[in-house]
Amino acid sequence: MQLPAVEVTTSTDPKKKASVKKKVKQAPGPSAPGTPAPSSSASANSSGEGQSKPGLNLDVPTQTGSRLGLTPLETPASVEVIPGVTIQERRQTSVSQAVTQNAAGFTSSASPGNGDTGLATRGFNGHGSVMQLYDGTRLYVGAGTVTFPFDAWSAERIEVLRGPASVLYGEGAIGGVVNVVPKKPTDYFTNEALVAVGTDATRRFGVGSGGPISDQLAYRIDASGVQSEGWMDNEHGDFSSIALSGAVSYKPVKELKLTVSHDQAYRSPNSYWGTPLINGVIPDSIRFKSYNIQDHDTNFIDSWTQVKTEWDPTQWFSLTNTAYRLTTDRHWHNVETYDFQETGPNAGKVKRTSYTEVAHDQEQYGNRLDATLRANFGGGVKNELVVGFDVNRIAFVSTSNSGATPVPESYVDAYNPTPGFFIHNPPGMGPRTGTVTRQYSVFAEDRLELSKQLALVAGIRLDKPTLNRWDLLTGGYVRREFSHTPWRVGAVFTPVKDLAFYGQYSTGVDPIGGAVITLSAANANFELATGQQYEVGVKQAFWNGLGEWTLAAYDIEKQNLLSPDPNNSLIVRQIGAQSSRGIEASVALQVTETLRYEGNVAVLEAQYDQFATTTGSGVNARLVDFSGNRPTNVPQQVINNWLSWAFMPQWEGHLGVQWVGTMYNDDANTVKRPPFTVVNLGVDYDVTNNSEIALWVFNAFDEVYAVGGNATEWQLAPPRSAELSYRIKY
């Protein structure tokens, strides 16, 4: 349930009154889509906590689907807002949980190797196709990994955009975008805290505070952390993290605001890399076994600093500049691949390979500036135009033990594994590759409102990343310049207030190999993969905002995938292609004053239209065609349901049911993961008007399911767990 902020009045602000109202019987209805949208700098209200509320938030300006700060009703695309109040109410502690359990069509493909942040949507999987943003700034993917942000405590809201977004953010977003919008400094005092204990000796906390320092200064600080023994039989399931964030805003005059913020995150996730398949399944007898080494290690340290300047001198002009710096240090020291041996001298044992030690040292800094112009031509015709540029420099050094000779391997008992220790073979740990990527882009987006019923939205971006890559062992050097110009055009038709029909055509690009900044020397010779999408849909708010629903249909095609030449399997060409088409629907409904339902469904058909690989070498080389197969980690049905019922005064119950369809672990579609249903149950009790005790049971029916894997092992999701928490906000 939503905990209110108590606004503390001062003698200089007699209009503000304290409020501890808990239930909102009637949410405010969306503004008419014909009204001018505020600029992106005004996408949050003066409180700094945004305008988002439980529901689809079709009337809330966003910064993810458009640089013009349009609301979802005004945007010809699938844009969804996940409010922070909803995330906290459902006790979703990570960004991945919040997105996959609330947003339509998103599923997790998280693993320790991708920072536990991998996502799939609209038939496309991984960081190379589903981009991560923090406060509107993209995080460049290094070796398929993004480790920040991960904690949902400091999020005011999370915005998602489904479908190509390269016109807004560059390469790597054909599937979609996830943007974590942090809490901002407030012009009133607000404080909150949470403590929780759970099964597996789990302890977590969250604290936050915001308010004015003076008439010109305001602040926001947040801290959260978790520590747990995990659900594995031994210490391999231990995990801990702490996330710190702070921001100060300075407003010397009404039209100008400067905000300086910093985030620091430390995370040691569990070192569980998977469970081996035995005859195609995972027996209960090994469900909680870990096959990692005793001296395992996984650690991520992320640091983010941002300086944002917002200037709104007139109603027709505004300027926003954002400068930022991100540093990331990551380290892995594990054995990661497990294969059960059915026959041979080691029958009944698990073969362990991929004795991997890797370190990433990444630094990204850049600047984004955009200017917005608004004009009223009379006769109901209005126009909004944003133009700007984006520059980045990303340095990345990969240190590893790759190339070990001979390749280390070991065998352990499947039912009583002895961890053992890391096997060090030459050449040992050392720097392998270093890259410096410089990127610049110019972009423009325009919204032409021809009448209160019809608006046209178009955008274009010229993006030019340049990769400099050094092989630190051989001294080899590769320089590659890329250039792409994605664009989109769409229309929104609003025949009556709060009912919008839309259509859009958009293009996008994805990097070959998952990330531009860590392209291999071989893949640097190829062009970026290109894509296009057609989408139509309808959105509506009704019952004065108590009900909202959306419906979208899309068709995406992605070309220029690497695939062997059918006439010569030794030659790799950019002739591969994959496609996805589907339907997505979402609804949020305040059924009665005490009963609320929110849910969504996504149904899609994804396949490789043309794609193959080569097995063997030389005269034994053989072409294996995967055309017609479904890409890995892509389900074709996803359903989320949430029901909240205030069944007694001071009591509210929650039911969440997620159903995810089958997925494949391999491109050959020979290893299928079965569908699964996860049920989460919770009950809240209001101790006072601004505090509550909550008891939650996650995965209540102890469903055994996987979130990732390969042909020989699955990465299982956590079993049933419970948590008791106390939260206060004042």
Side-chain angles (χ1 to χ4, degrees), residues 188-345:
Y188 61 86
F189 289 106
T190 177
N191 304 281
E192 58 185 323
L194 176 142
V195 291
V197 293
T199 51
D200 303 318
T202 301
R203 295 87 70 197
R204 70 182 184 95
F205 78 93
V207 293
S209 177
I213 301 173
S214 67
D215 290 341
Q216 296 176 321
L217 287 171
Y219 77 95
R220 176 75 200 192
I221 56 174
D222 286 279
S224 57
V226 64
Q227 190 172 37
S228 176
E229 293 181 2
W231 55 274
M232 306 301 296
D233 279 347
N234 53 33
E235 71 277 7
H236 293 173
D238 292 6
F239 62 89
S240 62
S241 69
I242 187 167
L244 309 171
S245 65
V248 176
S249 65
Y250 174 57
K251 202 169 185 179
V253 294
K254 181 180 179 181
E255 298 82 11
L256 180 65
K257 182 168 74 171
L258 175 69
T259 303
V260 179
S261 59
H262 181 76
D263 292 77
Q264 193 77 27
Y266 304 89
R267 185 156 54 117
S268 180
N270 67 52
S271 292
Y272 166 67
W273 288 81
T275 305
L277 295 169
I278 298 179
N279 297 321
V281 299
I282 294 178
D284 290 340
S285 56
I286 67 169
R287 178 184 178 187
F288 298 95
K289 303 294 182 183
S290 173
Y291 298 88
N292 206 344
I293 50 177
Q294 185 169 325
D295 54 337
H296 64 86
D297 180 59
T298 305
N299 281 286
F300 309 136
I301 301 175
D302 296 281
S303 178
W304 173 275
T305 304
Q306 178 174 274
V307 179
K308 190 171 187 177
T309 305
E310 301 163 276
W311 184 42
D312 296 283
T314 69
Q315 291 185 345
W316 60 269
F317 175 76
S318 62
L319 192 71
T320 301
N321 188 82
T322 305
Y324 42 86
R325 179 177 182 264
L326 169 71
T327 62
T328 294
D329 292 306
R330 311 180 185 121
H331 181 250
W332 294 266
H333 181 87
N334 304 279
V335 56
E336 302 175 2
T337 303
Y338 319 122
D339 186 1
F340 179 76
Q341 305 295 292
E342 297 183 8
T343 60

Side-chain angles (χ1 to χ4, degrees), residues 425-450:
N425 280 31
M429 188 73 168
R432 295 296 185 264
T433 59
T435 69
V436 173
T437 306
R438 293 180 173 86
Q439 174 270 347
Y440 75 87
S441 65
V442 292
F443 53 82
E445 184 180 3
D446 188 82
R447 181 178 186 265
L448 177 62
E449 185 179 313
L450 299 174

Side-chain angles (χ1 to χ4, degrees), residues 612-626:
T613 190
T614 302
T615 62
S617 61
V619 295
N620 296 319
R622 184 171 63 92
L623 189 70
V624 181
D625 191 358
F626 296 144

Side-chain angles (χ1 to χ4, degrees), residues 24-27 54-55 542-548 587-599 641-646 652:
V24 179
K25 294 183 179 180
Q26 182 168 306
F542 57 96
W543 288 357
N544 196 28
L546 296 180
E548 300 169 289
V587 63
L589 184 62
Q590 190 72 43
V591 183
T592 69
E593 290 186 2
T594 60
L595 187 65
R596 180 172 186 81
Y597 170 78
E598 295 182 17
N641 294 281
W642 285 97
L643 191 67
S644 298
W645 179 33
E652 186 170 23

Side-chain angles (χ1 to χ4, degrees), residues 289-291 340 348-350 411-418:
K289 303 294 182 183
S290 173
Y291 298 88
F340 179 76
K349 293 185 177 182
V350 173
Y411 295 84
V412 295
D413 187 276
Y415 303 95
N416 188 27
T418 301

